[in-house]
Amino acid sequence: MNADLRYVLDSITDPNPLVMVIKAHLWLERSLNRMLEAEMERPEALRSVRLQFSQKLNLVEALGILPSDRAAVLRELNKVRNNAAHRVEWTLSGGDMQQIIDSVRSIGWEPSTGDARGLQGLLDAFTFLLGYLDAWADMREWTATNADAIATRRHLLEHFQGEGHTVDEAVLLTNEFVVLDTRETYQRSAAKWGFRDE
């Protein structure tokens, strides 16, 4: 996603829950794309294939990029979105909205207001899902981008231990050679999603 949270929320907020579902689905698909591309050496080779949401979801689950319980929630949302997009007579009921909300709750989300119903509950659930997937995609991209640094760190640890240093000494020596600024990465994500830096 790599977009400002306020922009994302403004773009999916709509008094019509069908519109909200379709827009949130598009943002979630962008996060799936980022996750897949972070795992590929040449992602451009796959872009022309035009995979559907369900196929991308199956791929991220099969590759172990996204846990199965998270994939199940996205599958549930995809069913609702497909009903909305492909069946003219279909309308999103309160029961359908609650089904989406409850599926997001099943993976640990709890509404901050204590109330997870209606349009606000749906928006809050989507906010959680979008934040979760975006953070997951950030992590996958960071890992892919820093694979060489991670391999270097591992090599240095083994080298120093091979020279007879304790694990603690090897870590300290390695830290002198390789500085991975995860704090800065965390602060960027926290600022983007409005989390407090404790």
Side-chain angles (χ1 to χ4, degrees):
M1 187 177 326
N2 276 339
D4 178 71
L5 178 61
R6 177 59 27 217
Y7 173 76
V8 174
L9 294 180
D10 287 347
S11 76
I12 68 170
T13 302
D14 196 282
N16 183 338
L18 282 175
V19 172
M20 194 183 297
V21 166
I22 291 169
K23 287 181 176 182
H25 188 274
L26 290 169
W27 281 108
L28 291 166
E29 187 165 15
R30 288 181 91 176
S31 291
L32 288 178
N33 291 340
R34 288 182 55 217
M35 286 184 216
L36 284 169
E37 288 180 5
E39 301 298 318
M40 296 177 190
E41 193 168 310
R42 292 188 352 254
E44 66 280 355
L46 193 60
R47 288 187 189 127
S48 65
V49 176
R50 301 186 46 83
L51 296 173
Q52 295 176 3
F53 185 93
S54 61
Q55 294 168 316
K56 293 172 187 178
L57 187 53
N58 288 340
L59 267 175
V60 297
E61 184 179 16
L63 292 169
I65 299 169
L66 189 66
S68 294
D69 60 340
R70 274 53 177 173
V73 171
L74 295 179
R75 254 186 216 95
E76 197 65 42
L77 176 62
N78 193 45
K79 285 181 201 171
V80 172
R81 179 262 174 210
N82 285 343
N83 283 332
H86 301 294
R87 293 175 50 202
V88 173
E89 74 287 350
W90 191 81
T91 58
L92 185 69
S93 69
D96 295 318
M97 284 193 290
Q98 197 59 47
Q99 185 177 350
I100 293 169
I101 292 166
D102 290 344
S103 71
V104 177
R105 286 182 103 159
S106 76
I107 59 171
W109 168 70
E110 284 299 325
S112 59
T113 62
D115 185 19
R117 292 177 293 191
L119 282 176
Q120 188 58 51
L122 194 60
L123 180 62
D124 291 348
F126 286 150
T127 301
F128 172 81
L129 269 180
L130 290 164
Y132 175 85
L133 286 184
D134 195 51
W136 197 263
D138 284 347
M139 182 190 71
R140 299 307 285 204
E141 286 175 345
W142 184 90
T143 302
T145 302
N146 293 289
D148 289 342
I150 293 167
T152 299
R153 187 178 183 86
R154 187 174 295 127
H155 173 75
L156 286 168
L157 283 168
E158 291 169 0
H159 170 77
F160 290 128
Q161 285 178 308
E163 286 186 344
H165 294 282
T166 67
V167 172
D168 289 341
E169 292 169 338
V171 168
L172 289 172
L173 290 166
T174 298
N175 286 341
E176 291 178 18
F177 283 86
V178 179
V179 176
L180 298 175
D181 193 1
T182 54
R183 183 77 179 149
E184 182 180 312
T185 301
Y186 167 78
Q187 287 172 334
R188 277 196 312 269
S189 288
K192 179 164 83 174
W193 289 104
F195 301 132
R196 275 192 234 136
D197 188 12
E198 306 282 336

